[in-house]
């Protein structure tokens, strides 16, 4: 059986591609940057035409649309990726004679949809239901598994001893394991299909968000109870608006709005498809696995604000040297290390611009590129420290520790360098 999977480098798509190949299906992995040379490069945000899709789908029996975004960005809108792109794909499926189309939508993409995320999914779902092709619209709840942005977020939140949540974490959720989602999709692909149907892919039972976080804490081996305080809805939405300035954060106003609405459904149809009840995502682990899981979640939570803090410190240092601190006082400090006249002036402003650039660069690089930024920061700090140690060693004995503080700061930058992920060329 030949199957085309869009979004093949995403968390669900990549896991599905592996499972289908293990089930001896011929898989065409379609994504913006395919992970293997045999993949099909395509960007739904560019809305390829139905005619183009009809040509690519020759000989394909089943199509699974797993492409999606959790937040909009430049060049990627909900309208393009969730609505117009899939609609053209579905029309192409009809023209090419595809036997079965599986659309991975979202729980909540229904008549009560309020968020742009849900409305964009629903628009594609509605068109598919009206086309002359067998189709299954899969509506997952919160998916829990490796590579899933929301799962990583909730894992991180579960590590905190205190937390403020909208409505005190009383919103209904029904998290489903990624393994169960993939197993269900493989069964849909390999079984005969007819007509149109919609299936909720959900966990065994609804939980409050507070209970879900408690399960995740247990999974991480945390025995203490998490204190959760209620956050007014308006304040939660305002906070999410601020967080949207941070690139790639899954905590957006859309996400908060969907959480406030609730996210639960009957698991009966999904259990019938699987042949067994779906398993809860917070299953226990051995002590070693739980500890490793907890450490990974804590790093995911604290690395971004640590990067931000280091970047802002370099930026602040540059701004202070550029004029917030009196120039004559800065030049007097430089005179103490033997720099005077024009040389001191140039040293002051070159160093200030360098500090400012090293801070700003953190926001515009990532992966291997940002590793070089951390190394440049370490080299610059080492240079400053060496010069002061040679020309003004008394700064080591200063009660405010202007030089001794460089030691833990250097270790922090080294930690950020060590945990910097490699550049990701393969994205869905």
């Amino acid at each position: 059986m030949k199957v085309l999977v869009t979004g093949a480098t995403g968390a669900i798509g990549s896991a599905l591609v592996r499972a289908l190949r293990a089930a001896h299906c011929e898989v065409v992995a379609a994504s913006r940057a395919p992970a293997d040379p045999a993949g099909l490069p395509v960007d739904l945000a560019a809305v390829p035409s139905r005619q183009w899709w009809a040509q690519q789908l020759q000989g394909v029996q089943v199509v699974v649309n797993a492409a999606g975004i959790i937040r909009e960005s430049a060049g990627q809108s909900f309208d393009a990726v969730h609505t117009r792109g899939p609609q053209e794909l579905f029309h192409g499926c009809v023209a090419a004679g595809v036997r079965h189309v599986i659309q991975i939508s979202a729980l909540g993409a229904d008549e009560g949809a309020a968020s742009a995320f849900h409305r964009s999914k629903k628009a594609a779902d509605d068109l598919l239901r009206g086309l002359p092709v067998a189709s299954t619209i899969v509506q997952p709840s919160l998916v829990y598994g490796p590579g899933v942005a929301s799962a990583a977020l909730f894992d991180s939140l579960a590590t905190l001893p205190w937390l403020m949540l909208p409505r005190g974490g009383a919103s209904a959720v029904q998290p489903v394991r990624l393994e169960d989602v993939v197993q269900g999709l493989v069964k849909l692909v390999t079984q005969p299909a007819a007509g149109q149907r919609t299936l909720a892919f959900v966990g065994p039972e609804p939980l409050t968000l507070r209970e879900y976080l408690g399960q995740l804490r247990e999974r991480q081996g945390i025995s203490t109870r998490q204190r959760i305080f209620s956050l007014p809805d308006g304040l939660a939405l305002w906070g999410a608006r601020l967080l949207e300035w941070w690139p790639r954060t899954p905590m957006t106003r859309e996400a908060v709005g969907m959480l406030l609405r609730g996210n639960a459904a009957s698991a009966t149809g999904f259990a019938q498809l699987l042949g067994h009840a779906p398993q809860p995502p917070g299953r226990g682990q051995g002590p070693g696995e739980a500890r490793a899981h907890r450490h990974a979640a804590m790093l995911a939570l604290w690395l971004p604000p640590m990067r931000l803090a280091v970047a802002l410190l370099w930026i602040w240092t540059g701004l202070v040297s550029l004029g917030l601190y009196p120039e004559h006082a800065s030049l007097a400090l430089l005179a103490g290390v033997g720099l005077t006249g024009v040389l001191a002036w140039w040293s002051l402003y070159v160093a200030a611009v360098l500090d400012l650039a090293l801070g700003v660069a953190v926001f515009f690089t990532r992966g291997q590129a940002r590793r070089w930024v951390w190394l440049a920061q370490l080299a610059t700090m080492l240079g400053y420290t060496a010069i002061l140690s040679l020309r003004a060693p008394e700064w080591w004995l200063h009660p405010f520790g202007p030089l001794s503080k460089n030691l833990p700061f250097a270790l922090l930058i080294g930690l950020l360098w060590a945990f910097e992920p490699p550049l990701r060329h393969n994205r869905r």
Side-chain angles (χ1 to χ4, degrees):
M1 177 181 292
K2 189 173 183 180
V3 185
L4 182 138
V5 178
T6 64
T9 54
I12 296 176
S14 59
L16 176 60
V17 167
R18 291 192 296 271
L20 289 173
R21 286 175 175 162
H24 308 292
C25 293
E26 179 186 354
V27 181
V28 179
S31 65
R32 286 188 295 158
D36 59 76
L40 175 65
V42 60
D43 185 3
L44 260 67
V47 192
S49 71
R50 62 192 70 182
Q51 293 81 9
W52 183 87
W53 276 116
Q55 293 176 355
Q56 307 304 318
L57 293 170
Q58 294 302 313
V60 172
Q61 285 84 45
V62 180
V63 167
V64 182
N65 178 35
I69 54 175
I70 197 168
R71 59 173 293 173
E72 294 183 302
S73 60
Q76 286 197 306
S77 66
F78 290 141
D79 178 61
V81 178
H82 291 170
T83 303
R84 292 186 294 118
Q87 286 176 342
E88 289 297 305
L89 168 63
F90 301 154
H91 279 296
C93 290
V94 174
V98 172
R99 294 206 304 256
H100 187 194
V101 178
I102 301 170
Q103 154 79 337
I104 301 181
S105 182
L107 195 63
D110 50 34
E111 295 301 326
S115 69
F117 177 92
H118 279 150
R119 292 197 306 270
S120 64
K121 286 284 190 181
K122 180 180 181 299
D125 299 349
D126 289 345
L127 178 119
L128 179 58
R129 291 185 180 106
L131 292 177
V133 61
S135 64
T136 304
I137 295 170
V138 171
Q139 296 183 327
S141 180
L142 293 173
V143 178
Y144 185 85
V148 181
S150 61
L153 172 65
F154 288 120
D155 263 335
S156 296
L157 293 179
T159 67
L160 295 172
W162 305 285
L163 187 61
M164 295 189 71
L165 291 174
R167 301 175 186 176
S171 300
V173 295
Q174 201 164 345
V176 57
R177 294 192 313 152
L178 177 61
E179 298 93 329
D180 285 342
V181 170
V182 170
Q183 182 184 351
L185 290 170
V186 170
K187 290 204 170 190
L188 289 175
V189 168
T190 55
Q191 293 176 357
Q196 286 79 34
R197 59 175 171 168
T198 300
L199 279 175
F201 276 28
V202 294
E205 59 182 356
L207 304 168
T208 64
L209 180 56
R210 179 195 293 265
E211 291 170 335
Y212 179 36
L213 292 174
Q215 285 188 356
L216 296 181
R217 284 175 70 83
E218 182 179 351
R219 187 170 191 257
Q220 296 172 19
I222 303 174
S223 57
T224 57
R225 186 172 69 91
Q226 187 178 45
R227 295 291 303 274
I228 295 179
F229 304 94
S230 184
L231 185 67
D233 294 358
L235 188 57
L237 291 168
W238 180 81
R241 179 192 291 269
L242 292 180
L243 287 173
E244 286 177 6
W245 286 94
W246 187 258
R248 296 180 296 279
T249 177
M251 187 54 70
T252 63
R253 283 169 290 173
E254 289 279 321
V256 171
M258 290 187 285
L259 189 63
L260 291 173
R261 181 189 172 189
N263 201 267
S266 170
T268 302
F270 188 37
Q272 291 174 347
L273 174 67
L274 294 175
H276 60 80
Q279 298 298 308
R283 294 189 304 173
Q285 305 178 106
E289 290 178 309
R291 189 181 306 109
H293 191 144
R294 181 172 68 253
H295 290 170
M298 293 175 72
L299 281 171
L301 177 66
W302 291 110
L303 281 176
M306 284 194 293
R307 291 191 192 102
L308 178 63
V310 170
L312 292 180
L313 181 58
W314 283 99
I315 291 171
W316 178 248
T317 302
L319 293 175
V320 166
S321 300
L322 285 173
L324 293 179
Y325 190 72
E327 182 183 277
H328 67 86
S330 296
L331 293 175
L333 290 173
L334 290 174
V337 298
L339 294 175
T340 58
V342 176
L343 180 60
W345 189 90
W346 277 102
S347 297
L348 172 63
Y349 286 100
V350 168
V353 171
L354 175 61
D355 291 352
L356 189 61
L358 288 173
V360 171
V362 174
F363 297 104
F364 293 96
T365 56
R366 62 183 184 137
Q368 291 292 339
R370 195 156 55 195
R371 280 174 174 256
W372 288 106
V373 175
W374 301 132
L375 291 176
Q377 291 182 0
L378 283 172
T380 302
M381 186 187 305
L382 178 61
Y384 292 160
T385 304
I387 292 171
L388 289 172
S389 297
L390 290 172
R391 306 304 298 269
E394 65 273 12
W395 286 102
W396 281 103
L397 302 177
H398 194 285
F400 289 167
L403 283 183
S404 56
K405 288 176 182 176
N406 284 353
L407 298 177
F409 190 56
L411 291 175
L412 173 57
I413 294 176
L415 180 70
L416 293 171
W417 173 86
F419 282 98
E420 200 65 65
L423 282 176
R424 293 182 60 187
H425 298 291
N426 299 319
R427 303 184 219 162
R428 65 173 178 168

